Amino acid sequence: MKKIASYLYYLYFGIVYLTFSIILFLPIYFLVNGKHKYTTAKKIKYFWSKWMSFLIGIKVNIKEESTLDLQKKFIVCANHKSYLDIILMYLVLDQDFAFLGKSELLKWPVINLFFKRGVDIPVYRDSKTRASECLVLAEKEIKKGRSVVIFPEGGWDNSEKGMRKFKNGAFQLAIDTQCSILPVTFKNNYALFTDHKDISGTAKPGTANITVHQPIIVDNLTRKDLVNLREQTFNIINKELNSEN
C-alpha cells in the first residue's frame, strides 16, 4: 500500500511539473533575455519553486546559523540525493545565482530553458575538457556579481547511504575567485522524494529541513589549501546530516 501511494505521488508530481512547464514556457522563452535576464529568471524561479513545492505538499523549514550578507556572493555547496534539492534551492538563497548542473538537466522542461538562456551552466561529465570549461564560465558569472550553486558530490547512486567524496571543482573555484563557500545541508529530502528508479525508496509530502551554515571565508587561501577546504565543507554538511536535531 505504501509503495502504491509513492507511485501515485510520483505521478502527481509529474503532472504538476508538466503543468508548470506549459505555463512558464512562454514567459521564460520571451522574458529571460537581454540585460535583465538574470533578474527576470530569479523571479520566475522563485515563483516556480514556491508554488511547485506548495502544490506537491512540501513545506520548508530553514535553519540559518548566521545572518547572511546578501550583498556578497557565495559558492554554495550542498549535499545532493533528491530532485527536491534543485527545486528548493531557490527558496534557500534569496539572491541571484547560477546553477552548475549535470547536462542531463537539459532534458528537463522549464529547467533546460534557463541553461539555454545562459542563466545556468551545464556540466558535461563525459569530457574533462568540457567539465573544466564550466568552471571558467562559473568564474565569469562570479565576476558579474552572481553566486554559484554546486553539488560537489557530482551526482548520486541510490545504493549509497552516505555522501560521496566531494570533487575539487567548487573549492578550486572558491580559491581562484576568493569567493566564500556557503555550506547547505538538505537533511531529509531523500526521505521525502527518492529517485523513482529506487524501488526501495518513497515519495510523499512533508517538511524539508534545511540548514544554511556559516560561510567559510577563503581570503588568502591558495591551491595548497584546497583539500583542507574541501574536507572542512564536507565535514560541516556531514555532521549536520547525521545529527538528530
Side-chain angles (χ1 to χ4, degrees), residues 1-168:
M1 193 67 185
K2 180 180 177 182
K3 208 61 198 171
I4 293 174
S6 290
Y7 279 116
L8 289 174
Y9 185 79
Y10 282 126
L11 178 61
Y12 174 67
F13 178 96
I15 292 171
V16 173
Y17 188 91
L18 288 175
T19 301
F20 272 107
S21 301
I22 295 169
I23 292 172
L24 296 178
F25 177 81
L26 289 179
I28 296 172
Y29 188 84
F30 287 107
L31 299 179
V32 181
N33 214 341
K35 65 179 182 178
H36 298 298
K37 68 178 182 180
Y38 298 128
T39 303
T40 305
K42 178 179 179 292
K43 292 178 180 179
I44 293 175
K45 287 176 177 179
Y46 179 80
F47 172 88
W48 172 66
S49 179
K50 178 181 178 181
W51 289 104
M52 178 85 187
S53 57
F54 172 78
L55 290 173
I56 62 175
I58 299 294
K59 297 180 181 179
V60 177
N61 176 38
I62 301 175
K63 180 176 73 174
E64 297 179 341
E65 291 186 344
S66 63
T67 301
L68 293 179
D69 182 355
L70 294 177
Q71 299 303 311
K72 295 182 178 179
K73 51 190 179 293
F74 303 98
I75 295 175
V76 182
C77 292
N79 60 306
H80 184 39
K81 207 170 183 180
S82 170
Y83 293 121
L84 286 181
D85 304 338
I86 299 171
I87 296 171
L88 300 183
M89 183 61 79
Y90 301 112
L91 301 179
V92 172
L93 189 61
D94 187 21
Q95 63 175 201
D96 176 39
F97 60 82
F99 237 127
L100 264 72
K102 57 186 180 180
S103 57
E104 290 90 334
L105 291 175
L106 293 172
K107 300 176 183 177
W108 286 33
V110 177
I111 290 177
N112 64 353
L113 280 178
F114 290 116
F115 283 96
K116 291 177 180 179
R117 284 286 184 265
V119 174
D120 295 315
I121 303 169
V123 179
Y124 296 91
R125 298 199 189 97
D126 57 344
S127 167
K128 288 185 177 180
T129 300
R130 298 185 78 181
S132 61
E133 286 175 351
C134 79
L135 292 179
V136 175
L137 293 174
E139 186 169 345
K140 289 181 180 179
E141 295 305 307
I142 290 170
K143 289 178 179 177
K144 292 177 185 177
R146 306 182 74 206
S147 289
V148 170
V149 171
I150 301 176
F151 295 127
E153 292 169 274
W156 79 75
D157 187 319
N158 292 325
S159 64
E160 297 173 345
K161 292 184 178 180
M163 282 198 300
R164 286 182 169 183
K165 180 181 178 180
F166 284 179
K167 296 182 180 297
N168 289 336

Side-chain angles (χ1 to χ4, degrees), residues 177-222:
T177 60
Q178 294 292 283
C179 186
S180 298
I181 295 282
L182 181 64
V184 171
T185 303
F186 291 110
K187 292 200 65 170
N188 64 327
N189 282 358
Y190 180 74
L192 294 174
F193 196 88
T194 59
D195 189 333
H196 64 283
K197 291 176 286 188
D198 182 359
I199 60 173
S200 65
T202 58
K204 60 185 179 181
T207 299
N209 295 311
I210 305 166
T211 300
V212 180
H213 300 278
Q214 292 185 5
I216 302 173
I217 308 301
V218 300
D219 293 355
N220 303 316
L221 295 189
T222 69

